[in-house]
Each structure stands twice: as C-alpha cells, then as structure tokens.
Amino acid sequence: MSELFGKKNRLSRIFNKSGKSIMLALDHGMALGPMQGIERPGEVLKKLTPYTDSIMLNKGILQNCYVPDGHVGIVLRISGAATIVGEDLTRESITTTVTEALRLSADAVATSIYVGTPNEHSTIRELSLLCDECETYGLPVLAVTAIGKDRERKTDPRYLALAVRVAAEMGADIIKTYYCDENFEKVVEASAGVPIVIAGGPKMDSVLDVLKIAENAVKAGALGVDMGRNVWQHEKPVEMLLALKEVVNEGINAEEAYSKHFGRK
C-alpha cells in the first residue's frame, strides 16, 4: 500500500487543494530550441513558479535552471529525441529512466503518444510499459496526447477522445489534451475518470481567448491547464497566470478575470 500513498502524495503536489492545477509547460526546448520567451529558462522559472501549482520540464533544465524550494510539483518530461527540423517530429522515445526521475525528486513523469501516426505503436507501447514500471514506485504518469505537425487534429473531438481513451487504457494518471469547442465533454468522458489538463498550443490571438478556453474546459470537466507559450510569450506572464488561477481554481468567468488583470476589453 505504500506505493498508493506515494502516488497520492505526489499528486497532491501537482493538484492544489481545490483539486485543480495550473501547470507551466517549459519542455518545448527539447524539440523547438530556445523559443522566444524561454531563451533564459532560469529567469522564467524564478519569475513564474510562485504563481503555478506545477511545472513540466526536461531533466537538463530542471537540474541547471530550477532552484528547489518545495513550492511546486515537478512533472519531468522523459520522452523526446525528435526536433522540428528532423524527419519526423512524432518519432519520440523514452529518454530518461524512472530511476533518474526519482533521483531528481519528480512528482510525475510525462511522455507523449502519437495516435494515428507511423509512431503510434511505439509511443503507445512505451506509455503502457512506463505506467507498469512507475506503478511499482507510486510515481504518476502524465500522458501527452500529442499531434505533431497535424494541427487539424486538435479541433476534432473524435480524434481527441480516441487519444484520451487510449492513454487512460494504458494506465496514465493524468492526461494532457487539447480543448475543442465541439463536444469537449465527450473528450473528458473518454478519460474514464483520469484527470484531464488542457494544452495551450501556439500563442493565441488574445488573452481572452486563452481564458475562455480554460473556463469552458473546466466547465466540461477538465481539472486544469498545462500551458507554456500562452504564458511566457505574453508581455504580462504573471498576470496571465493569476487570471488563469482565478478562472480554473475559483470559477471566476473569463471576462471578469480579464478585466481585473488586463483592464477593460
């Protein structure tokens, strides 16, 4: 039973007392390099982690740029080995061992699955075996239902529901997926009770768009957001996180949170 306690304890550091999570995604550099906004990840972490519940990042940035203070949950990205300039962005594999994740005090590990791509089989199989291994240690697994370069898939509820259910069936403890305007409640339902956090994806046109997506996702049953570019590429990233916290954790509507932190529309 100790492994069940361990998993419960780790999840409590990722999800706050309201049962929700504002997760800051900072794992982009592994595939996209030093993007605008994360050229100096240490500064980003220092500035933004006080306003988050958890962070998702790779082992190198965790060890070299994060100053531990016990404030946030750590979700360690342990898959990768493909870049935007390579032949196939979906050709990921496990790049960090569970032992290393435990040594780094990770509260969860994250890996991607690429449903409907040539690398579907290998990524789903790796997720399943990773869940088996992590269960021994009570280490939660976050499955990223990734889409590679096929952006149309992130608006298709049938595809998202399929990918989410696959992740749940393989044993994931948290599932990251995209929000879609149509039938998102069916995507959440497909998780069979596994907590859903939504991705932000590329920077959106407006702050209000970001907040409305978060509001609608939570209303449909999601338990948080895992956003990167829509936070650290914004000129006011702290205000963005504060507004997201009010929308996700407190149920404040998007317009009200926007007006409070960014002024009138």
Side-chain angles (χ1 to χ4, degrees), residues 127-265:
L127 169 63
S128 183
L129 294 176
L130 178 65
C131 289
D132 288 350
E133 184 178 2
C134 287
E135 193 67 23
T136 303
Y137 303 101
L139 183 63
V141 176
L142 185 153
V144 180
T145 59
I147 57 174
K149 296 179 181 179
D150 189 353
R151 294 292 165 191
E152 291 185 7
R153 281 182 171 154
K154 78 173 187 177
T155 61
D156 184 345
R158 294 171 301 175
Y159 170 79
L160 296 177
L162 169 63
V164 163
R165 174 52 65 89
V166 169
E169 297 272 357
M170 294 302 105
D173 300 289
I174 309 168
I175 301 171
K176 177 177 178 177
T177 190
Y178 284 95
Y179 174 78
C180 57
D181 290 324
E182 180 186 354
N183 294 327
F184 185 69
E185 66 279 359
K186 294 294 185 182
V187 177
V188 175
E189 185 180 63
S191 76
V194 177
I196 294 284
V197 295
I198 61 163
K203 191 170 183 291
M204 298 179 204
D205 293 333
S206 75
V207 172
L208 197 54
D209 287 342
V210 178
L211 298 179
K212 283 183 175 179
I213 282 176
E215 178 184 12
N216 292 335
V218 170
K219 284 181 177 178
L223 293 184
V225 299
D226 182 17
M227 292 185 174
R229 284 167 283 187
N230 283 290
V231 175
W232 38 256
Q233 285 188 339
H234 192 273
E235 60 183 4
K236 294 183 177 180
V238 171
E239 287 81 355
M240 179 67 85
L241 286 171
L242 290 171
L244 281 168
K245 289 184 80 168
E246 291 183 353
V247 169
V248 172
N249 295 345
E250 301 172 29
I252 293 176
N253 67 55
E255 288 82 359
E256 184 179 345
Y258 179 91
S259 296
K260 179 177 178 180
H261 295 285
F262 297 96
R264 297 287 177 185
K265 290 185 286 183

Side-chain angles (χ1 to χ4, degrees), residues 91-102:
R91 194 180 177 188
E92 282 193 17
S93 60
I94 298 297
T95 54
T96 303
T97 66
V98 171
T99 301
E100 179 68 0
L102 292 168

